[in-house]
Amino acid sequence: MKKKSWAVLMRSRMAIPTRQLLRSDPLALPQDTSRASENDDGSINTNAPRVSLKDVKEWMQASISISAEKTELVDVNLENFSQGYLGLSLEGRRVLLLDLSRDYDVNRTRVRELMRKYLSVELPHDTQNEAPGEQQAGLVEDGGMLAMYYRMERNLRDSFKPLYASFFERLNAHPGGLKLLTSIRADLLSVPPFCLQPCSKAYDLRVQSHIACLQKENVPSLHALEAYLKEKLITWLSPATLELQQITWDDSASLLEKIVTYEAVHPIRNLLDLKRRLSKGRRCFGYFHPAIPGEPLIFIEVALLKDVASSIQEVLWDSPPAPEVEAKCALFYSISATQLASQLKLAQSESKDIKHISEKACGSNFKEDILLPEEEEMILSGYMNWLNSNTASEIEHTEGRENMSGKSGIEIMYEILTSKNWNGSVCLSEALKPSLLRLCARYLLQEKKRGRALDAVANFHLQNGSMIERINWMADQSIKGIEQSGGIMVNYVYRLDKIDEYAQAYLNTGHVHASCSLHQYLQRSKDENNAAS
């Protein structure tokens, strides 16, 4: 245990800065990364040779232009590009991506030429005024004419593909290439207009000027590059390609280090906390892609409980939360993604595996005739922002809650909620509790965007077939919990025999299934307004 703890501790401290490259804020990297690269096991190789941007560009060009039949030469250039790209500074990567979007875009000259050729070929006179199906039947009689059309249409379709399409395809087929592509997309999103953060002032002013010019001239091409790569990653990282595996304390230090690094919902405080989450009464499962071994794209943490939890603290601190033989529900208390691109199809992947994860988590305790509710206690990702919006203020105004100071009740409440340590006052907390819970119920059940729940976390679970079971006051008293949702957390319950029904109702009509306790908050508010009027 001491060896494992020391290994995880040392690896976490050393590897976190480089791993930030794959997260949603790639600009958090230290600027002096030109000599750093990653070993196959995820550690940092500080002795990597320095490479120039010119070298990496040449390897990229060779990877695109060399014939696919020369596989060994293509592989050598792809490997050189992969190592060289990781050795570039962030600004160097930006220049490379901007050049890629400009110089390897669609060959529009060829597109126009092929379109002219296609339009210059006239249909037989006796088929020009016929319906498409009848035209096809007429062309079948002339096999040569039909073959010519198919050939021209195929060439036209191929011409619409950008030149970097073959580069991405080859890189995806290269060992380690898919992982690098997710890194490239994260870097791409750090380039304006996707990210407004400026380049490092310490970087060459000539390069900064080059970047500024390219940004101004090639914004559409950057959007096209990002959209194309996103589309390909959706296919390559589709749920069908992912494998669900349990993660335990006996796994490698490299894997456990990634869990510590990428836990996004409830940060892991120390090694004792990590081991507690992997011990009895708890489970951790990861979705792995065969092309990215040893690194989960998504990992889910589960706690086996007697009853529905009312706070996250009792889940994280109790050891174990309850004896496994007495567990009646499985709490999915954290879902985190280790790669930016892995979130592309997460919503479609989890619902089909709820039962599979339940069987793995509960083991012999799981019985088909006793359908355990799968519970997830989650934060409200946009609740505080909504409270500060005009929508919430209008709600409070229409319900007759005015203030002599000229400020709406929502404005006063928001000022209190954004002050420090307001939750430390028992009187203040109890005074705010009824209003915050009532507005929270309305936010979850009635506030919509394009027919879907306004809250991103709620939308995720509802489209996967859950129902909103209850809202819990002061369930997360961490700094993050107070700032995001006023300490309120939500229980989403997956009833295994209702998942498909609830998901279809939500996706088709936007209907939100919720318990009576949620609806009572809204009914109580209506009754109070009727009594006041």
Side-chain angles (χ1 to χ4, degrees):
M1 172 181 173
K2 291 183 178 179
K3 291 182 179 180
K4 173 63 72 67
S5 300
W6 181 251
V8 175
L9 179 63
M10 293 302 295
R11 292 178 63 83
S12 296
R13 287 182 176 178
M14 293 176 63
I16 284 177
T18 296
R19 287 297 171 191
Q20 296 296 333
L21 168 65
L22 300 178
R23 301 186 72 174
S24 58
D25 185 14
L27 294 174
L29 272 169
Q31 294 299 326
D32 187 18
T33 59
S34 59
R35 285 188 174 270
S37 65
E38 294 179 75
N39 294 323
D40 293 339
D41 62 355
S43 62
I44 296 179
N45 175 16
T46 56
N47 296 320
R50 181 184 296 275
V51 295
S52 68
L53 178 60
K54 181 180 178 181
D55 291 334
V56 180
K57 284 184 177 180
E58 289 178 354
W59 291 325
M60 180 178 70
Q61 182 179 6
S63 300
I64 297 173
S65 59
I66 294 176
S67 172
E69 297 176 354
K70 301 178 180 180
T71 55
E72 293 185 2
L73 193 55
V74 171
D75 288 342
V76 168
N77 281 280
L78 287 173
E79 184 63 26
N80 288 337
F81 170 82
S82 300
Q83 296 299 325
Y85 182 86
L86 293 174
L88 290 175
S89 65
L90 182 58
E91 284 82 0
R93 298 181 190 186
R94 286 176 167 179
V95 173
L96 183 71
L97 293 174
L98 287 163
D99 285 347
L100 178 64
S101 69
R102 179 195 62 180
D103 299 336
Y104 298 92
D105 199 359
V106 174
N107 187 342
R108 293 178 177 81
T109 301
R110 174 169 170 75
V111 171
R112 293 172 63 87
E113 179 184 348
L114 291 175
M115 289 180 67
R116 282 195 295 268
K117 288 183 178 179
Y118 187 80
L119 294 175
S120 66
V121 178
E122 295 185 1
L123 292 170
H125 294 290
D126 56 349
T127 63
Q128 288 184 356
N129 297 323
E130 296 177 354
E134 295 173 346
Q135 288 181 0
Q136 182 75 1
L139 289 173
V140 168
E141 298 178 0
D142 187 349
M145 176 70 74
L146 187 60
M148 181 185 65
Y149 271 108
Y150 280 141
R151 184 172 60 256
M152 296 178 67
E153 289 161 357
R154 182 180 64 251
N155 292 337
L156 191 56
R157 283 195 302 270
D158 292 340
S159 70
F160 280 108
K161 293 177 63 176
L163 300 180
Y164 49 71
S166 62
F167 176 61
F168 290 155
E169 295 281 354
R170 293 180 178 185
L171 197 55
N172 177 56
H174 185 74
L178 182 57
K179 181 179 178 180
L180 181 63
L181 284 169
T182 60
S183 175
I184 289 176
R185 182 167 185 263
D187 291 336
L188 179 62
L189 293 176
S190 76
V191 180
F194 303 105
C195 176
L196 299 180
Q197 185 165 340
C199 299
S200 170
K201 293 182 179 179
Y203 205 66
D204 192 325
L205 293 176
R206 179 178 56 82
V207 175
Q208 289 196 43
S209 176
H210 177 56
I211 292 175
C213 292
L214 287 174
Q215 290 167 356
K216 183 176 180 180
E217 297 174 2
N218 294 284
V219 167
S221 65
L222 280 174
H223 279 291
L225 176 65
E226 189 278 331
Y228 185 85
L229 182 54
K230 178 182 178 181
E231 180 182 340
K232 301 306 292 186
L233 287 173
I234 286 176
T235 302
W236 294 330
L237 293 172
S238 66
T241 65
L242 303 183
E243 300 173 355
L244 182 67
Q245 301 175 16
Q246 184 172 350
I247 300 171
T248 70
W249 181 254
D250 294 328
D251 281 310
S252 68
S254 174
L255 175 55
L256 298 184
E257 172 256 326
K258 293 177 176 66
I259 302 300
V260 174
T261 301
Y262 293 111
E263 169 56 57
V265 182
H266 304 293
I268 298 174
R269 296 165 295 170
N270 48 48
L271 291 176
L272 181 61
D273 188 13
L274 173 62
K275 188 170 185 180
R276 185 186 296 119
R277 299 191 191 196
L278 301 175
S279 61
K280 291 183 178 180
R282 296 181 176 88
R283 302 286 189 273
C284 182
F285 299 96
Y287 285 97
F288 293 81
H289 192 283
I292 312 178
E295 181 163 344
L297 299 181
I298 308 157
F299 60 91
I300 302 171
E301 296 174 74
V302 183
L304 305 181
L305 304 173
K306 288 183 180 180
D307 301 299
V308 177
S310 59
S311 74
I312 193 60
Q313 278 72 27
E314 67 182 78
V315 175
L316 296 178
W317 294 349
D318 288 350
S319 184
E324 292 188 9
V325 293
E326 300 178 8
K328 296 182 179 179
C329 66
L331 173 73
F332 291 54
Y333 63 88
S334 177
I335 301 176
S336 300
T338 61
Q339 300 278 10
L340 180 64
S342 69
Q343 303 175 44
L344 297 173
K345 285 291 183 178
L346 178 59
Q348 283 74 20
S349 67
E350 191 206 1
S351 61
K352 70 174 186 177
D353 280 335
I354 286 291
K355 187 173 181 179
H356 189 196
I357 295 175
S358 303
E359 293 172 340
K360 284 180 171 286
C362 301
S364 59
N365 294 332
F366 183 87
K367 298 180 180 179
E368 285 292 336
D369 57 338
I370 303 177
L371 297 177
L372 303 181
E374 307 311 316
E375 176 203 355
E376 303 210 22
E377 186 168 45
M378 292 294 173
I379 58 175
L380 290 159
S381 59
Y383 182 45
M384 294 295 283
N385 290 334
W386 177 77
L387 281 179
N388 195 36
S389 67
N390 293 330
T391 303
S393 300
E394 291 172 2
I395 293 171
E396 197 72 6
H397 178 74
T398 57
E399 293 181 357
R401 292 172 173 81
E402 300 178 352
N403 190 276
M404 297 299 294
S405 65
K407 295 183 178 180
S408 68
I410 286 288
E411 291 174 331
I412 296 174
M413 181 187 299
Y414 191 79
E415 289 181 0
I416 296 173
L417 294 176
T418 53
S419 64
K420 293 184 178 180
N421 300 324
W422 65 267
N423 56 309
S425 170
V426 177
C427 295
L428 192 57
S429 179
E430 289 300 315
L432 292 173
K433 180 178 178 180
S435 295
L436 283 177
L437 290 177
R438 172 178 55 81
L439 287 169
C440 180
R442 180 184 182 106
Y443 171 69
L444 290 170
L445 298 179
Q446 297 183 355
E447 295 303 313
K448 302 288 182 66
K449 180 179 180 180
R450 298 175 183 174
R452 300 288 185 265
L454 181 62
D455 187 80
V457 176
N459 179 59
F460 171 83
H461 290 291
L462 292 171
Q463 71 181 0
N464 276 304
S466 73
M467 65 171 291
I468 304 177
E469 180 67 18
R470 72 184 188 190
I471 49 180
N472 303 306
W473 178 250
M474 286 297 148
D476 185 0
Q477 300 188 44
S478 66
I479 296 176
K480 179 181 178 181
I482 295 298
E483 291 178 350
Q484 279 197 330
S485 60
I488 299 175
M489 295 191 76
V490 187
N491 288 121
Y492 299 94
V493 172
Y494 289 84
R495 303 195 183 281
L496 301 183
D497 58 337
K498 296 290 186 179
I499 287 179
D500 291 338
E501 176 186 338
Y502 289 173
Q504 289 301 318
Y506 178 72
L507 294 173
N508 293 335
T509 66
H511 177 71
V512 176
H513 283 87
S515 64
C516 295
S517 63
L518 266 292
H519 292 286
Q520 286 175 357
Y521 285 109
L522 301 182
Q523 185 60 45
R524 194 178 303 128
S525 176
K526 291 180 181 179
D527 294 341
E528 291 175 359
N529 291 331
N530 293 335
S533 60

